[in-house]
């Protein structure tokens, strides 16, 4: 099987993890702060806070941004359910903004319309969660202008976009109030499970650090009472255990060292797909001016004249090509339908989903494997 995505593990990665196993600390040691510092430096951002996965990163970031009961959070329907669930964990209300069919990211035009009508109705959002779908940066410059005008915060879900850049800067540095990355095994770099939250705001970083570890502080400067001794900690908020282990941090730090090389191979494969598929009735992913995608995914849409999506999908799986579909629009999930959303609410995301198929793309994919994917797809598209 050629998987749609796959981790790349080297001997260096294995050595980094086994070194931790032979060391004094399996968790809460020196490797995690070193990984955070390296991630922050690579992204040109002041603070990087590692967490046990991106879902909890989104949850903690929502809490740190002040999301709670009575808050309104908007996101893209074309995403993984975690992009919306994080707001519900906090007791907030979730809304969606339809996607732009060209970029497949949250549509700025739809956002403008929804904001104007929300202002008229007095139900403006507190936080917007744009998603860098497939690794392509969302249009953060336009969203920042709207955030300043309407007074909402931006939490960028960059789970797909480690290593992407937007207007000359790495995703996660500027524009958003906080940015969340995922290191799940299928994502761009991996810690098996893991995530990172970046921000330029020192107070927000401090809240995130407390929230990931039970709301505790051991910093005397932050304490309400002068500590009686070095054993004293104080709880200031209701936090969680959302820590990343030293084993995961060692793997992440080692992977981060190869990010540029892995990114270059992904970009090369994406460009190669572009050439190999150019003559077929397919909608291909784009990379607009000023953006460099992380190319986590290579989703295509089947256009007029092709076999139905389900048939193409099954033919490819039968030929051991591990295609996948990203994403079933969140608002059509039964859980969200029960909260009042209905098919037809976000037609662009639904139209896109009905025709979408993600082709294999990962840094270990060979040209020969990619040629095989294209050959099988060609045949499947026009099978009777
Ligand atoms: C993978 C993913 C998440 C969740 O990441 P985990 O690290 O698996 O919790 C959230 N949002 C998007 C868009 C994702 O693809």
């Amino acid at each position: 099987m050629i998987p749609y995505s796959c981790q790349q593990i080297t001997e260096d990665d294995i050595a980094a993890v086994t070194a931790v196993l032979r060391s004094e600390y399996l968790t809460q040691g020196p490797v995690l702060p070193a990984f955070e510092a390296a991630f922050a430096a690579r992204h040109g951002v002041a603070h990087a806070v590692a967490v046990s996965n991106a879902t909890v990163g989104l949850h903690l970031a929502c809490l740190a941004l002040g999301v709670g009961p009575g808050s309104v959070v908007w996101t893209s329907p074309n995403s993984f359910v975690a992009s919306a669930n994080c707001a519900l964990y906090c007791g907030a209300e979730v809304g969606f903004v339809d996607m732009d069919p060209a970029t497949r990211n949250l549509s700025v035009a739809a956002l403008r319309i929804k904001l104007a009508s929300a202002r008229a109705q007095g139900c403006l959002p507190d936080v917007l969660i744009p998603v860098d779908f497939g690794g392509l940066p969302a249009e953060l410059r336009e969203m920042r202008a709207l955030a300043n005008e309407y007074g909402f915060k931006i939490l960028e879900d960059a789970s797909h976009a480690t290593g992407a850049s937007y207007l000359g800067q790495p995703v996660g540095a500027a524009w958003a109030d906080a940015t969340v990355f995922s290191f799940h095994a299928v994502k761009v770099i991996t810690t098996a499970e893991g995530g990172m939250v970046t921000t330029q705001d020192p107070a927000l970083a401090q809240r995130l650090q407390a929230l990931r570890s039970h709301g505790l502080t051991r910093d005397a400067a932050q304490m309400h009472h002068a500590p009686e001794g070095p054993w004293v900690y104080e709880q200031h908020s209701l936090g969680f255990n959302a820590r990343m282990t030293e084993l995961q941090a060692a793997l992440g730090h080692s992977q981060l060292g190869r990010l540029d090389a892995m990114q270059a191979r992904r970009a090369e494969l994406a460009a190669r797909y572009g050439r190999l598929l150019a003559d077929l009735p397919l909608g291909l992913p784009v990379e607009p001016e000023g953006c460099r995608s992380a190319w986590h995914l290579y989703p295509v849409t089947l256009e007029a004249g092709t076999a139905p999506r389900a048939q193409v999908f099954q033919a490819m799986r039968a030929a051991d090509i591990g295609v996948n579909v990203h994403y079933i629009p969140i608002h059509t999930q039964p859980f969200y339908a029960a909260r009042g959303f209905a098919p037809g609410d976000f037609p662009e995301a639904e139209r896109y989903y009905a025709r979408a198929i993600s082709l294999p793309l990962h840094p270990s994919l060979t040209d020969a494997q990619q040629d095989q994917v294209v050959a099988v797809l060609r045949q499947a598209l026009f099978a009777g």
Side-chain angles (χ1 to χ4, degrees):
M1 174 77 91
I2 300 175
Y4 87 90
S5 183
C6 180
Q7 72 273 18
Q8 184 191 68
I9 300 294
T10 63
E11 288 305 320
D12 285 349
D13 291 341
I14 292 166
V17 175
T18 52
V20 169
L21 282 170
R22 293 194 176 91
S23 78
E24 191 177 354
Y25 295 102
L26 297 185
T27 188
Q28 295 175 285
V31 178
L32 182 96
F35 176 39
E36 290 176 329
F39 196 90
R42 167 65 177 74
H43 289 78
V45 65
H47 306 280
V49 179
V51 286
S52 47
N53 57 70
T55 302
V56 83
L58 288 165
H59 179 192
L60 300 191
C62 280
L63 291 173
L65 289 169
V67 174
S71 302
V72 174
V73 176
W74 290 356
T75 189
S76 172
N78 181 38
S79 187
F80 185 54
V81 292
S83 306
N85 290 348
C86 58
L88 298 181
Y89 297 150
C90 306
E93 191 192 309
V94 170
F96 298 96
V97 182
D98 208 353
M99 60 164 253
D100 175 339
T103 63
R104 300 149 178 186
N105 279 334
L106 190 149
S107 159
V108 172
L111 178 61
R112 278 206 184 90
I113 293 167
K114 195 173 165 97
L115 283 168
S117 85
R119 174 140 73 190
Q121 291 163 29
C123 56
L124 283 168
D126 299 287
V127 173
L128 178 72
I129 306 183
V131 180
D132 303 323
F133 177 71
L136 180 68
E139 289 163 82
L140 268 287
R141 179 173 49 188
E142 288 75 11
M143 291 176 194
R144 173 47 66 194
L146 291 166
N148 294 346
E149 183 182 345
Y150 286 92
F152 58 86
K153 301 221 166 77
I154 301 176
L155 169 55
E156 184 173 7
D157 183 347
S159 290
H160 299 181
T162 309
S165 69
Y166 176 68
L167 306 181
Q169 282 175 293
V171 160
W175 309 107
D177 294 282
T179 304
V180 175
F181 299 87
S182 173
F183 308 137
H184 182 273
V186 299
K187 302 288 165 68
V188 175
I189 62 170
T190 191
T191 61
E193 298 275 3
M196 191 74 83
V197 189
T198 61
T199 181
Q200 301 285 22
D201 178 350
L204 192 70
Q206 202 172 72
R207 286 201 291 282
L208 288 163
Q209 278 154 0
L211 283 166
R212 82 167 162 195
S213 203
H214 310 281
L216 300 183
T217 183
R218 289 177 182 277
D219 178 357
Q222 287 180 43
M223 289 192 191
H224 294 184
H225 307 286
E228 213 184 307
W231 65 86
V232 172
Y233 50 83
E234 285 185 354
Q235 184 183 351
H236 293 166
S237 60
L238 185 61
F240 304 84
N241 180 350
R243 293 187 301 258
M244 177 184 279
T245 67
E246 292 282 281
L247 297 160
Q248 292 166 303
L251 180 55
H253 200 166
S254 179
Q255 293 251 317
L256 184 67
R258 288 204 313 288
L259 176 59
D260 291 339
M262 291 199 284
Q263 211 58 79
R265 178 57 181 159
R266 285 179 182 275
E268 188 175 78
L269 286 163
R272 203 163 176 273
Y273 265 138
R275 292 192 298 274
L276 295 170
L277 302 174
D279 63 316
L280 293 171
L282 297 172
L284 304 183
V286 296
E287 200 178 40
E289 185 80 42
C291 291
R292 277 210 359 242
S293 177
W295 294 110
H296 163 51
L297 298 174
Y298 198 86
V300 302
T301 52
L302 310 185
E303 302 300 330
T306 63
R309 192 264 307 272
Q311 189 184 314
V312 173
F313 185 99
Q314 275 152 22
M316 294 193 77
R317 280 281 179 97
D320 274 346
I321 311 292
V323 286
N324 211 330
V325 173
H326 301 91
Y327 280 104
I328 302 167
I330 299 173
H331 69 282
T332 66
Q333 290 290 349
F335 178 79
Y336 282 88
R339 303 184 71 87
F341 296 99
D345 285 353
F346 304 99
E348 293 296 353
E350 293 169 35
R351 226 184 332 267
Y352 164 76
Y353 162 64
R355 299 173 293 125
I357 203 160
S358 297
L359 304 181
L361 180 61
H362 52 85
S364 305
L365 191 73
T366 65
D367 286 6
Q369 287 175 319
Q370 189 179 35
D371 290 342
Q372 190 189 339
V373 171
V374 172
V376 171
L377 176 63
R378 241 171 225 288
Q379 201 159 45
L381 282 177
F382 306 113

